[in-house]
């Protein structure tokens, strides 16, 4: 059973502690331009974000002992009741201001996991 990332939010700031590669893999959104992360709504508490909202991620990769500050915006909303297989939450797209550095960093951490997934999901 996958553990939920530890997330705290306040006025556009989202702090995410991701314990390991499996949690990062589950949250990573490689299909979003510049990459992104999905954050489950129940872990955000009462904070609510709308499409296009600017957010600032304080991303802590626990296993890597790294803290990454990342600017982004909400590009995905899954509302409560969106289906049993889809938890409510938001997708945050990484800003292009870092020229893809965040996306490259996360894909380096996930090396091998993404390639095997892409190979089995190619149309």
């Amino acid at each position: 059973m996958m553990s939920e990332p530890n997330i705290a939010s306040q006025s556009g700031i989202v702090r995410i502690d991701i314990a390991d590669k499996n949690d990062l893999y589950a949250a990573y959104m490689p299909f979003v331009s510049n990459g992104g992360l999905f954050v489950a709504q129940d872990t955000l508490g009462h904070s609510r974000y709308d499409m296009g909202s600017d957010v600032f991620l304080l991303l802590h990769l626990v296993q890597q002992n790294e803290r990454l500050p990342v600017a982004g915006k909400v590009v995905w909303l899954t509302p409560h009741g969106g289906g049993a297989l889809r938890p409510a939450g938001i997708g945050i797209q990484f800003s292009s201001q870092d020229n893809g550095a965040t996306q490259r960093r996360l894909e380096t951490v996930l090396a091998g996991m993404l390639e095997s997934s892409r190979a089995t999901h190619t149309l």
Side-chain angles (χ1 to χ4, degrees):
M1 182 173 175
M2 184 182 83
S3 63
E4 288 292 327
N6 178 19
I7 300 171
S9 64
Q10 58 189 358
S11 24
I13 298 174
V14 178
R15 191 180 125 242
I16 307 174
D17 295 318
I18 298 182
D20 57 34
K21 279 185 176 185
N22 291 329
D23 287 351
L24 178 59
Y25 180 77
Y28 185 58
M29 301 173 75
F31 53 86
V32 173
S33 178
N34 294 321
L37 289 176
F38 180 81
V39 179
Q41 183 63 45
D42 57 345
T43 59
L44 290 172
H46 295 293
S47 296
R48 184 170 168 252
Y49 295 93
D50 296 317
M51 287 292 287
S53 295
D54 290 325
V55 294
F56 188 77
L57 294 173
L58 296 174
L59 177 60
H60 180 209
L61 302 175
V62 176
Q63 203 172 46
Q64 302 290 316
N65 197 26
E66 277 191 76
R67 295 185 190 278
L68 304 171
V70 183
K73 71 177 177 177
V74 177
V75 296
W76 182 288
L77 292 175
T78 303
H80 286 284
L85 299 177
R86 298 181 189 266
I90 61 173
I92 301 171
Q93 177 185 38
F94 305 142
S95 170
S96 62
Q97 292 175 345
D98 72 356
N99 295 315
T102 301
Q103 182 178 22
R104 285 189 302 276
R105 176 66 192 122
L106 295 184
E107 289 187 354
T108 298
V109 171
L110 294 171
M113 294 178 86
L114 292 174
E115 289 306 316
S116 63
S117 174
R118 286 182 184 145
T120 60
H121 290 65
T122 304
L123 298 178

